[in-house]
């Protein structure tokens, strides 16, 4: 599957990584999840990203994840795989494994733990690209890595063909828009794909020129994001807005957790998984160690929101989460 | 080598990882550096930490690093090895390799990239300890990981015997002092080692109860930190202050870099390595990809500071750095 | 002039405060600036806000500013006046003076320097409203005050009628959109005015439900923002986008300053004033003490951008700025 | 009272501003508080600082505060007065009033709300000094103003005699120490007073060269800080440490507040005032609007801590706080 401006578009959900009671990747649930996504009409999938708890997966889990995803998708749509690690050499290690297992593209952030400057960030992508010879998507996620892929950096990455696209999870629509302007200036066809990770401004991102969407919430409601993408792409603004408003309501599931008791990541990713379990898509809503589990009260709040947004649970409420 | 309150004390330099022109670990330089440290009377060494560019080392580099360090030290002092990674399972993978190669203790941070809460951080250390059955040192470095090991967390780690000591690189002397107070309250002998990573408040840290020092700058001047440690430990405050003042002057090497041109990490760790190269301890001052190299002007400034602090370069000024 | 949902709409530029060579308010330039704005068709003006250097104006300057503005506008459009200060009692002092001088509404932030919680922020607005009995506009500007007016806070302020509208200068379109949703839920007519301070997402803000725009850049090009507002309000998206793209280019004037030499505020507000001086609207581009002045190179860059965006300077390039 | 290196030393408590049930300055309580401080042997007082809720005081409150303080002290020790405001002209307005009312020195921060650079910060102090011709103390409090008085800035302020001393409330002992080093290099007598605002590292600050202490907690226990100052100044380290440890325990009063219910400032300053009310020094523990009041549970926790640190309340527990 070639990863370029035609294939990197549409809805590409950033999938969660289902795990079983032993903490291993739950292969059947993962297959079920991917089938659910493909049936909903998604245009690609992204595994091993932030929503996939990439930071918490060991080598065995990562390998299983990619193998199952590639096998299940079977070339129907592109499979993007996170090669998220702290430094260039480590990213190359991860990326090579992903490519060997069939990833159509790897998704790479700036180095973190260290504090690179923009020139060093570009050099990082240059070295990754040179080592791989395979499509790389740049991933801007300052909340996790602490630095930005600025418009200047992205422009250089695009112009030098070091990456085939950008996943923007910065939440900053001003720089997103500036990146769209600049990459279009390079090429009037707008052939450099800019994908938005925003759950709540997905319609606006498409209207401003995003080629596609990579939201974590699309795990739970891929049909909604596919409808939103088509409505926004065809300038049916009223329909896009209505869909976006419903999805904003659904996104409240990530805020039900009591942050005195459970961390932010556990609350948000746990909510995606719990909602999938409540919808009957995966068996077990558990997150990876050392994240805490949602409690009964929080699960009930999630079930209620699913109900209010038209995604009534298919399974009894007291789903097992740990 | 047992890692406990008697062995985790004194000066334990956080060593840089020398690399050669191909980017591999320069084994001869590493041996030379360790010999230099042991001759200076250090009480342990810490490899694969932040000063060792752990975030930028791949698996082969890490393995070589630990093997050479363990072989070279040959049981003379404890060898601490960083098992720095984003999540619990990944830390366990790294830590097992380090232990298999002979690490006396592994040094572990809170999870990062994700956003854990205090309870999840404690759970992380509980799982690492359970999986390893080997000494773990907790590593508080908020500038790199974005969260704190608060006094409450450290108290629980110590009381539950999940870690054998703390390396505090927070720069926050208020919490350092509170941790010393609380761990002494648990055990009047003060048997829980609290090590300070501060370059500039090392004398004060010892006076406030630190068992030892883990400064990156000790790469360049282990003799200075050994003298400072002995002076501060024997309440020879005037001598400790004088040594600390000289080392503060030496520490200015990390600020010579032009941060418009080169990142903070490259400037700081590059300065440690350049100074070691200028002193003739290692062959090559290069840092790992993708970090930029110091330029001639910056190297001259480092040489000048070495001269002013009594560490006149043993080698010609125009040392090769890349 | 009544300040309500009908009057708080459209383009309400956040005016700079022109000063003369002695540092006093340059009354003639201020009148000229206001005439220029009214001629461009703005729907209100906002004096004594962040763009007006409110933090740097003393009592005499503030009084002159309000007097001249109220006199010059003469009821044609609403005059909003910043009553920006650190605490409730001080805000009330400032606000009373502004009201006495004829302000149609005062614009008020959360307390700063101190660290209030949401409940205390609501109490602040309750007390200001009770003391004044005059329209208050809430002002969310976290970059200056360090706290947010969250959707929860704004909803309570609106529901309790403590403020007549919101000026959102947060740069955060997600919360902006949520505030629009919530205030519409209260009142299907959408009678609570939400004004966006964004220079670069002004078209999007209107499309998402903003009643008006309060951009600093409208000082320099009120005609552009008036055109943008009308295009966006009438769903002429292509025209709105083209205008926004041109204004984005113009906004680059705030980035010409060398931040090694001059502070961010001086560079940004100095650029607005320099552009106005270059366009011949005000006499002197100087900012208030202690801000540094732009240099020749920077002024030339601003002139170049004015030229490229169709606002060719009416006056010779070497305008006096201090 | 001349403010210089001989007079700016010792313990100079940053006093709270007692208010009565109507929200006016409670003059009798203020007199009582000052008498209590002078009896304890303090070397100066600082009114209208952060601990004095300066950000929340209007003009009338500020004037009363200074008048009462100057009158009560009657030249016995220096009276420092905060002239804290957002910009140069406003600071000069405040400072002139304070000087006219008898302040021996005014205490001034960098501009805030705006974002100045170091050069503009120095210019700010130059203009304030030129306008006043009266002693100015520089105040580094980044938690409130968002910028730092770096060692470079302080060195220039001291060398150019724009300020007569520094109050360091940065919490950063590394820069504190560097400032002491640099100002001593200028003048071997160390005639530039560096005062530490630290509650918890007061002994260390004195040992590192601080001329004095300006802690908020000294409101509650001036005797303790006077003892600590004398012990640390005479190198009686054991006594200084014991006193500091007791004061660290006492400082826990600022952490009893439930930050879900009440803001940080309200919890901390409210605790100082509540403790003073419990000790019978002031009548009413209330803070200024819009801060929330501590509740019964929190007041009981404060009373308990007073008891445990040897400051048993002189008044019944259920003191009125609002």
């Amino acid at each position: 599957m070639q990863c370029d401006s035609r294939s990197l578009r549409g809805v590409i959900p950033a999938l969660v990584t289902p795990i079983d009671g032993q903490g291993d990747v739950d292969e059947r649930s993962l297959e079920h999840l991917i089938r659910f996504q493909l049936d909903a009409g998604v245009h690609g999938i992204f595994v091993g990203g932030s929503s996939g708890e990439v930071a918490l997966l060991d080598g065995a889990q990562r390998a299983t994840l990619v193998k199952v995803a590639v096998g299940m998708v079977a070339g129907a749509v592109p499979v993007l795989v996170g090669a998220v690690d702290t430094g260039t050499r480590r990213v190359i290690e991860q990326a090579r494994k992903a490519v060997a297992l069939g990833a159509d593209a790897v998704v790479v952030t700036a180095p973190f733990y260290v504090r690179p400057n923009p020139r060093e960030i570009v050099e990082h992508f240059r070295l990754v690209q040179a080592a791989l010879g395979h499509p790389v998507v740049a991933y801007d996620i300052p909340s996790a890595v602490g630095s930005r892929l600025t418009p200047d950096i992205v422009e250089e990455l695009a112009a030098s063909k070091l990456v085939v696209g950008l996943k923007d999870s910065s939440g900053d629509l001003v720089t997103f828009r500036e990146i769209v302007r600049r990459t279009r200036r390079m090429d009037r066809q707008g052939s450099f794909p800019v994908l938005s990770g925003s759950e709540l401004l997905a319609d606006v991102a498409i209207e401003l020129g995003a080629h596609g969407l990579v939201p974590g919430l699309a795990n739970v409601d891929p049909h909604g994001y596919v409808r939103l993408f088509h409505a926004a792409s065809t300038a049916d603004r009223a329909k896009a807005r209505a869909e976006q408003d419903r999805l904003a309501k659904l996104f409240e599931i990530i805020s039900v957790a009591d942050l005195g008791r459970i961390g932010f990541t556990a609350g948000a990713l746990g909510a995606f998984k719990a909602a999938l379990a409540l919808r009957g898509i995966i068996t077990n809503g558990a997150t990876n160690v050392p994240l805490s589990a949602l409690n009964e009260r929080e699960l009930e709040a999630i079930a209620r929101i699913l109900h209010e947004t038209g995604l009534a649970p298919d399974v009894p409420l007291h789903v097992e989460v740990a």
Side-chain angles (χ1 to χ4, degrees), chain A residues 187-258:
Chain A
D187 168 5
R188 300 297 295 270
Q189 267 66 51
S191 71
F192 182 80
V194 181
L195 311 172
S196 170
S198 177
E199 270 86 5
L200 297 177
L201 299 169
D203 56 342
V204 175
I206 296 294
E207 290 169 13
L208 292 179
H211 296 67
L213 305 171
V214 194
L217 185 62
N219 278 282
V220 180
D221 191 5
H223 302 83
Y225 278 101
V226 168
R227 284 193 299 267
L228 182 152
F229 174 73
H230 288 303
S233 300
T234 56
D236 185 346
R237 192 188 292 185
K239 193 170 169 194
R241 289 285 143 90
E243 197 64 63
Q244 180 68 83
D245 283 347
R246 195 184 56 81
L247 289 164
K249 174 69 192 164
L250 177 61
F251 199 51
E252 291 175 9
I253 61 173
I254 76 154
S255 306
V256 303
D258 171 3

Side-chain angles (χ1 to χ4, degrees), chain A residues 69 77 86 121 157 194 203 236 242 266 281 298:
Chain A
V77 297
T86 51
I121 292 173
L157 295 179
V194 181
D203 56 342
D236 185 346
I281 313 301
E298 293 159 345

Side-chain angles (χ1 to χ4, degrees), chain A residues 116-124 148 150 152-153 156:
Chain A
N117 77 352
R119 193 174 130 185
E120 292 162 348
I121 292 173
V122 171
E123 176 70 1
H124 169 72
R148 288 298 307 272
T150 61
D152 284 352
I153 291 175
E156 185 166 349

Side-chain angles (χ1 to χ4, degrees), chain A residues 28-279:
Chain A
R28 264 199 71 228
S29 282
L30 178 58
E31 288 173 351
H32 200 177
L33 172 61
I34 293 172
R35 171 55 45 215
F36 173 65
Q37 299 288 332
L38 295 174
D39 287 351
V42 302
H43 307 80
I45 64 167
F46 172 32
V47 298
S50 306
S51 293
E53 297 174 81
V54 62
L56 305 178
L57 302 181
D58 62 22
Q61 288 175 311
R62 290 190 186 204
T64 302
L65 177 63
V66 182
K67 255 181 285 186
V68 171
V70 168
M72 189 69 194
V73 169
V77 297
V79 176
L80 281 59
V81 178
V84 172
D85 216 318
T86 51
T88 309
R89 289 170 177 279
R90 300 181 70 175
V91 167
I92 292 170
E93 279 185 330
Q94 302 283 357
R96 281 186 172 143
K97 288 178 195 166
V99 171
L101 293 169
D104 294 306
V106 292
V107 183
V108 172
T109 71
F112 50 99
Y113 193 90
V114 291
R115 290 157 63 181
N117 77 352
R119 193 174 130 185
E120 292 162 348
I121 292 173
V122 171
E123 176 70 1
H124 169 72
F125 280 100
R126 197 186 64 72
L127 292 165
V128 171
Q129 177 52 48
L132 281 193
H134 200 78
V136 173
V137 174
Y139 190 2
D140 190 29
I141 183 161
S143 63
V145 308
S147 68
R148 288 298 307 272
L149 300 183
T150 61
D152 284 352
I153 291 175
V154 176
E155 187 173 4
E156 185 166 349
L157 295 179
S160 304
K161 303 199 181 305
L162 301 180
V163 301
V164 297
L166 170 72
K167 171 176 184 341
D168 172 15
S169 295
S170 69
D172 179 349
L173 213 59
V174 165
T175 54
F176 169 84
R177 191 173 200 176
E178 177 65 13
I179 286 166
V180 169
R181 274 194 201 100
R182 294 210 200 173
T183 53
R184 284 197 174 162
R185 214 176 292 149
M186 269 189 264
D187 168 5
R188 300 297 295 270
Q189 267 66 51
S191 71
F192 182 80
V194 181
L195 311 172
S196 170
S198 177
E199 270 86 5
L200 297 177
L201 299 169
D203 56 342
V204 175
I206 296 294
E207 290 169 13
L208 292 179
H211 296 67
L213 305 171
V214 194
L217 185 62
N219 278 282
V220 180
D221 191 5
H223 302 83
Y225 278 101
V226 168
R227 284 193 299 267
L228 182 152
F229 174 73
H230 288 303
S233 300
T234 56
D236 185 346
R237 192 188 292 185
K239 193 170 169 194
R241 289 285 143 90
E243 197 64 63
Q244 180 68 83
D245 283 347
R246 195 184 56 81
L247 289 164
K249 174 69 192 164
L250 177 61
F251 199 51
E252 291 175 9
I253 61 173
I254 76 154
S255 306
V256 303
D258 171 3
L259 295 181
R261 195 185 60 76
I262 177 173
F264 176 81
T265 301
L269 301 186
F272 290 163
K273 287 181 152 182
L276 283 167
L278 286 163
R279 295 199 73 189

